[in-house]
Amino acid sequence: MSRPPNFEFQEWWNKQREKNHELFLEKSDNPNTPFLTVEISSPISDQSVGKDRTRSARQLSWVCLLKLQQIASFLTWISNGFVFLVRTASRRIASPDSRADSSSSQLYRVIKVFLIVVLLLLGFELVAYFKGWHFSPPSVGSVEVLGMVGFMYAKWLEIRANYLAPSLQGLTNVCIVLFLVQSVDRVALMLGCFWIKLWKVKPVTNMEYPAQGENENVEDYPMVLVQIPMCNEREVYQQSIAAVCIQDWPRGRMLVQVLDDSDEVDAQNLIKAEVQKWVQRGVRILYRHRLIRTGYKAGNLKSAMSCDYVKDYEFVAIFDADFQPGPDFLKKTVPHFKGNNDLALVQTRWAFVNKDENLLTRLQNINLSFHFEAEQQVNGVFINFFGFNGTAGVWRIKALEDCGGWLERTTVEDMDVAVRAHLCGWKFIYLNDVKCLCELPESYEAYKKQQHRWHSGPMQLFRMCFMDILRSKVSLGKKANLIFLFFLLRKLILPFYSFTLFCIILPLSMFLPEAQLPAWVVCYVPGVMSILNILPAPRSFPFIVPYLLFENTMSVTKFNAMISGLFRLGSSYEWIVTKKLGRSSETDLVIFEKESDPLVESTNLYRSSSESGLEELSKLEISKKTGKAKRNKLYRKELGLAFILLSASVRSLLSAQGIHFYFLLFQGVTFLVVGLDLIGEQVS
């Protein structure tokens, strides 16, 4: 802040210069007065010097006042910013959470107690460090000789060496074994993926449909039912309905069901209007809305399959509201059923329109690329089984009916129906080269809720179908694959050892150094596994370190979800629709524009709607774009673990443990960034 000019001082200075100049002229005009009679010690000069000193002091006071004003304004800005930060944090913490967040309060209390213990231990170790006890720790003796602090530290060393460290070392060894078993599974999946790539193994069809416009026999096309379940999908309903309605399939052989579970009247009216547009274009499309909305997505699909006209259809294709299949989707998937009477499901791969939107979507793309490229492709080729993804797949309706149809007992109805169909002897095919565009969650809140549902549901299902697996007539190898690989290793052991090893054991081992956690467990093996996971998405290789750290950070959410599903906690039955933003690729937008041209040119549709109806639709379109104001949150569990890991990194620094220190530091910073909701979409 620049100092304002002082006009009062300038005026005074000019007057003094004029007076001195007049005095000099008067003395120089008198010839009898020598020039040297003008002395510095004259009263006039003394007075001027005094005035000059007075004015300088006044200027100094002005400068001091300005400096004080600047300091006061800076302190005010700092205090206001601190108050705003505290209020924002308080509002985020006090904001109503979902049941998935509130049910984890028990885990948060455990983390909070753990944090208090870690801080006390860190303070104790700092006192011991400054006393030099890290070089020569005191041995147990009398209080008079050692002093109270020395006596307590000596007893603490004895307790941790004889009682605490052996227990922690035992838990560490168990987690290391589980970690190695899971790593072997990852290596086996990647070897299978390399084998498939090397020999170019992929499912082949017994027939192919001609391209659009060529001579074709309509009777060669089976009857296909296409279902689009949705719930308050304001952002994506148009593109999803359009992508299905422009399928290159005879219109008389396809029926589209828009299964709307929206509880908002505006959203219902918007979707009805969109369905009516395609009806007037000649597409066989129906709008269904349940009066009794129970069972979430499973209940919605079950209700749709109970319609009488479903018996006329042989296959059903399912697309979630944000999925945009290509026009040739049915022509690439349905032919695989020809001649394969024991085939129940054809699943396609997901592709993401917003994978490069932010760091969160890039990390999700790495994870899901490994899931599709390695897990589903390898399992589909070698054992003809994998978990149904709930969308972008085609089912044989007979197989659905044979395994009992859609059940509402879990929040992973897709995995449930896939397991039951597999136990009934049906086979699955995965098509890695057929991709269906969809959207990734761009905010951490939406991603966290999605992951909670994806990891609590499998534990619910495992608890319910464990005895059914044992009693089934499938081979012993398939039973072992379902129990030990599909459920235990990939759904239970992975989140358990990841959270326990890197969030509990690692920081504790810094305060209990008698329990050793080797550096290869902390750094080298996780690094190799991260490289394997990132191979299906090689363009994401620069994000390998953030991916490793973020996956460990997500372990707290996955661990909490696994526990809630395994022990039937309330949040395990919660279904929260993943928030979408309605993003489409440029190619899709061009296709939709071309397909919509005849509709725009035609006036029949607009004549069929009254002016008041058009006005109502325009109001709904405006309301579609306006929603509740979103705010970023603070995540307490992540913040608590951040402070635990950072405290452990300080303790590791005192012990001069290089790899452990850096890992704890970077992992703690990652937890801090995620806990402050600084990853993904940022809102005000």
Side-chain angles (χ1 to χ4, degrees), residues 309-573:
Y309 53 79
V310 173
K311 65 179 181 296
D312 300 328
Y313 294 85
E314 188 175 357
F315 305 104
V316 54
I318 303 172
F319 302 99
D320 283 349
D322 60 317
F323 278 73
Q324 307 160 35
D328 57 351
F329 180 88
L330 292 178
K331 283 190 173 181
K332 289 183 176 179
T333 54
V334 174
H336 288 274
F337 290 96
K338 186 72 173 180
N340 294 327
N341 295 328
D342 58 348
L343 180 61
L345 168 67
V346 175
Q347 174 72 61
T348 63
R349 181 170 179 167
W350 298 0
F352 311 107
V353 297
N354 61 338
K355 63 181 180 180
D356 297 325
E357 186 65 26
N358 54 46
L359 179 60
L360 180 61
T361 57
R362 291 176 185 272
L363 300 180
Q364 292 180 65
N365 179 57
I366 296 173
N367 217 358
L368 290 173
S369 295
F370 179 83
H371 170 69
F372 288 109
E373 189 87 12
E375 290 185 14
Q376 292 213 303
Q377 184 174 216
V378 171
N379 289 330
V381 168
F382 289 99
I383 60 177
N384 299 117
F385 168 73
F386 46 83
F388 176 45
N389 296 321
T391 179
V394 182
W395 276 91
R396 189 188 297 270
I397 294 181
K398 181 181 178 182
L400 284 177
E401 295 173 348
D402 183 45
C403 67
W406 300 103
L407 299 181
E408 308 169 14
R409 58 182 182 174
T410 69
T411 57
V412 285
E413 74 294 328
D414 45 8
M415 185 182 295
D416 186 4
V417 71
V419 170
R420 287 185 281 113
H422 181 60
L423 295 178
C424 291
W426 292 94
K427 295 181 179 180
F428 301 165
I429 283 181
Y430 172 75
L431 302 180
N432 192 55
D433 55 346
V434 180
K435 298 180 180 180
C436 188
L437 290 175
C438 62
E439 206 178 300
L440 289 168
E442 295 185 12
S443 67
Y444 179 69
E445 180 183 11
Y447 180 61
K448 182 178 180 180
K449 292 176 180 178
Q450 181 196 71
Q451 292 300 304
H452 187 277
R453 176 166 55 87
W454 284 5
H455 286 81
S456 65
M459 289 297 97
Q460 304 173 31
L461 180 61
F462 177 66
R463 191 183 62 251
M464 294 177 180
C465 69
F466 177 72
M467 296 306 300
D468 295 335
I469 295 174
L470 295 179
R471 290 193 295 260
S472 65
K473 298 179 181 180
V474 297
S475 64
L476 185 61
K478 291 184 178 181
K479 293 180 181 179
N481 173 71
L482 273 176
I483 294 176
F484 295 106
L485 291 180
F486 187 75
F487 280 113
L488 290 181
L489 185 61
R490 297 168 187 165
K491 302 298 188 299
L492 188 148
I493 291 177
L494 177 58
F496 170 78
Y497 88 77
S498 181
F499 174 75
T500 307
L501 194 60
F502 297 108
C503 299
I504 302 298
I505 294 177
L506 179 58
L508 269 182
S509 64
M510 298 299 101
F511 298 97
L512 305 176
E514 292 83 2
Q516 296 293 325
L517 186 60
W520 57 268
V521 177
V522 177
C523 182
Y524 302 127
V525 175
V528 173
M529 292 300 104
S530 298
I531 293 175
L532 292 179
N533 287 353
I534 214 169
L535 287 179
R539 293 180 58 187
S540 302
F541 196 83
F543 303 94
I544 184 171
V545 174
Y547 169 73
L548 171 62
L549 297 174
F550 182 71
E551 281 300 297
N552 290 336
T553 305
M554 285 302 300
S555 64
V556 60
T557 298
K558 297 176 181 179
F559 176 81
N560 177 65
M562 181 266 293
I563 293 297
S564 65
L566 190 62
F567 295 101
R568 305 176 64 178
L569 302 180
S571 63
S572 61
Y573 292 93

Side-chain angles (χ1 to χ4, degrees), residues 160-184:
R160 81 182 191 188
N162 296 331
Y163 302 102
L164 299 180
S167 301
L168 182 62
Q169 188 65 57
L171 180 61
T172 302
N173 295 336
V174 171
C175 289
I176 290 176
V177 171
L178 296 178
F179 180 34
L180 293 178
V181 171
Q182 198 270 337
S183 299
V184 170

Side-chain angles (χ1 to χ4, degrees), residues 9-25:
F9 176 80
Q10 189 66 36
E11 292 175 359
W12 172 83
W13 180 258
N14 292 334
K15 290 179 181 180
Q16 294 300 319
R17 290 184 60 187
E18 291 175 0
K19 290 180 180 179
N20 292 336
H21 183 65
E22 292 174 358
L23 178 62
F24 177 79
L25 290 177

Side-chain angles (χ1 to χ4, degrees), residues 212-372:
Q212 188 175 11
E214 299 181 4
N215 295 329
E216 54 186 8
N217 184 9
V218 177
E219 297 299 326
D220 293 337
Y221 292 81
M223 300 289 287
V224 178
L225 180 67
V226 182
Q227 297 177 334
I228 312 176
M230 57 178 61
C231 180
N232 298 325
E233 308 284 0
R234 290 171 171 265
E235 296 80 11
V236 295
Y237 73 94
Q238 285 181 318
Q239 61 195 39
S240 61
I241 294 176
V244 169
C245 290
I246 64 174
Q247 284 293 307
D248 183 14
W249 199 261
R251 291 186 176 179
R253 313 293 290 181
M254 181 180 73
L255 175 65
V256 180
Q257 285 182 320
V258 179
L259 311 178
D260 183 24
D261 256 6
S262 303
D263 56 1
E264 300 176 2
V265 178
D266 290 351
Q268 296 176 22
N269 292 333
L270 286 170
I271 298 171
K272 286 179 183 177
E274 185 68 19
V275 170
Q276 186 62 28
K277 287 199 306 183
W278 290 99
V279 168
Q280 298 198 20
R281 291 191 59 189
V283 177
R284 299 178 68 240
I285 182 172
L286 298 175
Y287 174 86
R288 297 190 80 255
H289 184 269
R290 296 189 298 163
L291 296 178
I292 303 176
R293 299 168 51 251
T294 59
Y296 303 112
K297 181 181 176 181
N300 198 0
L301 294 173
K302 181 179 180 180
S303 174
M305 295 299 294
S306 64
C307 298
D308 294 336
Y309 53 79
V310 173
K311 65 179 181 296
D312 300 328
Y313 294 85
E314 188 175 357
F315 305 104
V316 54
I318 303 172
F319 302 99
D320 283 349
D322 60 317
F323 278 73
Q324 307 160 35
D328 57 351
F329 180 88
L330 292 178
K331 283 190 173 181
K332 289 183 176 179
T333 54
V334 174
H336 288 274
F337 290 96
K338 186 72 173 180
N340 294 327
N341 295 328
D342 58 348
L343 180 61
L345 168 67
V346 175
Q347 174 72 61
T348 63
R349 181 170 179 167
W350 298 0
F352 311 107
V353 297
N354 61 338
K355 63 181 180 180
D356 297 325
E357 186 65 26
N358 54 46
L359 179 60
L360 180 61
T361 57
R362 291 176 185 272
L363 300 180
Q364 292 180 65
N365 179 57
I366 296 173
N367 217 358
L368 290 173
S369 295
F370 179 83
H371 170 69
F372 288 109

Side-chain angles (χ1 to χ4, degrees), residues 1-6 62-71 73:
M1 182 177 181
S2 61
R3 185 170 62 183
N6 195 326
W62 276 99
V63 172
C64 293
L65 288 175
L66 289 175
K67 292 295 183 182
L68 290 175
Q69 184 181 3
Q70 292 178 0
I71 294 173
S73 62

